[in-house]
Amino acid sequence: MAADMMSDKPTLVLLHGWGMNQGVWRSVTSQFEHKVSLLTPDLPGFGLSQQYPIPYQLNAVIELLAEQIPDDSYLCGWSLGGLLAISLAKRFPHKVKQLGLVAASPCFVADAHWPGMAEHVLQQFAQALSNNLTQTIERFLAIQAMGSSNAREDIKALRQAIMAYPAAQPEAVVGALQLLKLDLRAEFAALTQPISGIFGRLDALVPADVVDALQLLNRNAQLSVIEHASHAPFISHPEAFNRWLSDWVGVKL
């Protein structure tokens, strides 16, 4: 790791989404681990990161993540990881050379003028979590592979990759879900770093309509949409995703 840090390789940091862990990046890691200095930290309370703040609040979570991220990193966040990446880029701009968003938004909940998910969907997730944590995350896993021509196989591979790491702390899972209610549109609009993003046309959690709204908020944003992808384009459309990621970071596969 030390040798990589001293090399000319760009540093790429990937942040996973809600209910998951760094295992979701397995296929991406296999393509990029020799091209970049790659870090895939688990969010606090997930995977190998068993320590988490109580209460599970944004600033405390961001501070824990910032300790693991070198200066001038390409910081890429998927879903909830993207929301956290926006906050981190605003609070610790020296750590984020460029920001990448994968099916992520500064505001996940819809309002009259903003595309997003209905608030009752989040409430249903919260209620389901209290009833059966494991089953709720299993259902969420199934959403990730929507749009894939090999959805069943992709879900199986994703489940295996995630189960290779320790189970998430229940309090962290619940706390992280609440972070999805935050509105960071002002923070996103104020970012000065270059921003790149990739979204799925079939995504029900982060509607593709949000792309136009994001570009109006921040002119530094260069965003694209994969026509038949859903919420996890790196799973359903790995070739298109890896092409986007390599172009963004500036490496050849």
Side-chain angles (χ1 to χ4, degrees):
M1 180 66 72
D4 281 347
M5 290 300 183
M6 296 176 64
S7 73
D8 293 330
K9 293 180 180 179
T11 299
L12 173 61
V13 182
L14 302 174
L15 298 181
H16 66 81
W18 177 81
M20 306 293 145
N21 58 48
Q22 62 180 284
V24 300
W25 300 117
R26 184 173 66 176
S27 63
V28 179
T29 298
S30 67
Q31 294 293 315
F32 285 87
E33 59 186 349
H34 300 300
K35 305 292 185 180
V36 300
S37 178
L38 182 62
L39 300 172
T40 56
D42 288 310
L43 304 186
F46 295 83
L48 298 177
S49 181
Q50 292 292 291
Q51 299 298 316
Y52 59 94
I54 301 174
Y56 203 93
Q57 294 182 337
L58 178 64
N59 286 343
V61 170
I62 292 302
E63 287 170 4
L64 287 173
L65 288 172
E67 293 173 359
Q68 306 173 63
I69 298 176
D71 291 355
D72 295 320
S73 294
Y74 286 79
L75 178 61
C76 180
W78 166 52
S79 196
L80 171 62
L83 181 80
L84 298 177
I86 291 168
S87 180
L88 205 149
K90 183 65 171 65
R91 284 196 58 195
F92 300 96
H94 60 285
K95 289 188 173 289
V96 183
K97 181 177 183 177
Q98 294 196 33
L99 174 67
L101 301 176
V102 181
S105 172
C107 181
F108 279 78
V109 178
D111 63 28
H113 307 288
W114 186 261
M117 72 176 83
E119 187 166 0
H120 76 265
V121 174
L122 275 179
Q123 294 171 343
Q124 288 172 354
F125 266 116
Q127 180 60 47
L129 280 176
S130 66
N131 294 333
N132 192 319
L133 172 63
T134 302
Q135 186 179 73
T136 302
I137 293 180
E138 283 279 328
R139 289 175 178 171
F140 192 63
L141 271 175
I143 295 174
Q144 314 315 319
M146 287 177 59
S148 168
S149 59
N150 302 296
R152 182 170 297 180
E153 292 82 1
D154 289 340
I155 293 169
K156 181 179 179 180
L158 181 58
R159 183 185 295 111
Q160 290 174 342
I162 290 170
M163 289 180 63
Y165 295 86
Q169 297 292 327
E171 297 87 354
V173 175
V174 173
L177 185 68
Q178 298 307 309
L179 295 182
L180 289 174
K181 296 181 180 180
L182 296 174
D183 185 347
L184 301 186
R185 283 178 284 186
E187 287 84 345
F188 179 80
L191 292 179
T192 58
Q193 299 98 327
I195 302 166
S196 184
I198 192 162
F199 298 78
R201 182 72 66 190
L202 304 180
D203 194 343
L205 300 180
V206 180
D209 289 348
V210 81
V211 167
D212 290 339
L214 290 174
Q215 291 179 322
L216 287 174
L217 273 184
N218 194 312
R219 293 183 179 180
N220 291 320
Q222 300 292 323
L223 312 175
S224 57
V225 178
I226 299 178
E227 287 300 317
H228 300 290
S230 182
H231 192 57
F234 55 93
I235 296 169
S236 62
H237 294 75
E239 290 185 3
F241 177 83
N242 289 340
R243 187 164 54 249
W244 166 80
L245 190 59
S246 63
D247 288 346
W248 175 53
V249 180
V251 298
K252 291 184 178 180
L253 292 179

